[in-house]
Amino acid sequence: MVVVGDVGGCSEQLKRVVGPLVAEPGTVVVQVGDLVDRGPDSAGVLAFVRERLEGDRRRWVQLIGNHEAPYVGGESFWPEPLGEAEAGLLRSWWLREWMRVAVAVRTADGEELLITHAGLSRDAWRDLGAPVTAGTAAALLNTRPEPLLFSYEGPLWAEAGQIYPSWLGGLERLPFSQVHGHSTIVSFDRRTWLCEERIRWRSTVDWQARHTETQVPGGRFVGVDPKHGLAGAPEWAPLVLPGAEVIS
């Protein structure tokens, strides 16, 4: 299983890095959303994903990001909207439930991970009913609960710099680990930190793969947004979870 961070219209980076992986029998890809906007070829990204979804959807799990949200009920915010064909494709995936809010996986060593676009803060987790397993949290999120779904504090919009501190202090521990895209606590290009000190000393960075890992009481957060920007990251990699399986 591989978890692919935000693509942001950078089709060449997606094809170059992820293409060989999906060609291997048995590989399951989870993509965390933000397929479109910013980069040069949103249409090419959607065409690549469409081929996988129309082939074997057991091998490509597509999540929704905030950049897909305006086409399925969220507020418009990006100044350059998609063409009608691309927007219609996203709407069809949403209506068919080919695009989800969350997925839960279990790693080979038994760790449960909730994968969403932006992650769940403590307040959002409480609003969801305080689920105790990643599988239950994913199932609840996939009922598309509004207004939480499209809230700026919700799983499509919340920032890592807000989510991680929300799980420090208090009586409740992180009930399950989380993987997310959308934002990061570092600048990969400048190799500098963008978070407060108490988050920094809990975190490690893979600068080549463009991943971060932050330990909090009860579990960990793994950030996988490579921050492709306008032209794509020169070097990046998906998060590989050997032997993991989808549980929700």
Side-chain angles (χ1 to χ4, degrees):
M1 179 175 290
V2 295
V3 183
V4 177
D6 306 39
V7 180
C10 293
S11 62
E12 289 304 313
Q13 280 71 17
L14 179 65
K15 294 172 184 176
R16 173 173 52 84
V17 173
V18 181
L21 295 173
V22 296
E24 297 179 10
T27 298
V28 175
V29 174
V30 177
Q31 201 285 319
V32 303
D34 276 13
L35 293 169
V36 300
D37 296 339
R38 189 174 282 110
D41 190 18
S42 292
V45 171
L46 293 178
F48 180 90
V49 175
R50 178 179 186 175
E51 183 177 348
R52 274 78 202 163
L53 289 177
E54 292 181 349
D56 187 351
R57 287 189 300 282
R58 296 171 299 179
R59 296 190 56 209
W60 188 284
V61 180
Q62 184 60 53
L63 303 185
I64 183 174
N66 61 304
H67 280 264
E68 287 77 44
Y71 303 100
V72 299
E75 293 185 10
S76 178
F77 69 95
W78 194 251
E80 300 172 356
L82 297 176
E84 183 52 39
E86 289 75 27
L89 191 61
L90 290 175
R91 285 192 290 268
S92 73
W93 292 351
W94 189 243
L95 290 171
R96 297 178 188 181
E97 298 186 351
W98 290 10
M99 186 162 60
R100 314 182 197 179
V101 179
V103 66
V105 305
R106 182 179 294 113
T107 66
D109 61 4
E111 182 184 25
E112 285 196 10
L113 302 171
L114 176 70
I115 308 176
T116 61
H117 178 62
L120 271 186
S121 68
R122 180 178 289 178
D123 285 346
W125 171 77
R126 288 170 178 161
D127 289 344
L128 200 60
V132 297
T133 69
T136 301
L140 290 169
L141 286 168
N142 285 324
T143 67
R144 305 175 180 179
E146 295 188 35
L148 175 63
L149 180 58
F150 297 124
S151 165
Y152 286 110
E153 307 301 321
L156 305 186
W157 279 100
E159 297 286 322
Q162 299 169 321
I163 293 175
Y164 299 1
S166 77
W167 288 100
L168 299 179
L171 298 176
E172 297 142 325
R173 295 160 56 90
L174 186 68
F176 39 77
S177 294
Q178 299 188 41
V179 181
H180 68 86
H182 181 63
S183 65
T184 185
I185 55 173
V186 299
S187 167
F188 292 113
D189 292 332
R190 298 192 301 271
R191 294 207 172 192
T192 57
W193 294 85
L194 304 174
C195 59
E196 56 187 291
E197 187 65 23
R198 61 174 178 161
I199 300 300
R200 178 175 177 173
W201 68 260
R202 293 173 175 271
S203 303
T204 57
V205 185
D206 184 330
W207 296 105
Q208 285 71 42
R210 296 192 168 213
H211 303 159
T212 65
E213 182 173 326
T214 301
Q215 301 289 333
V216 300
R220 59 180 176 144
F221 285 95
V222 182
V224 295
D225 180 1
K227 293 297 177 185
H228 282 306
L230 296 175
E235 183 179 21
W236 70 287
L239 174 68
V240 179
L241 302 171
E245 59 179 354
V246 173
I247 57 175
S248 175

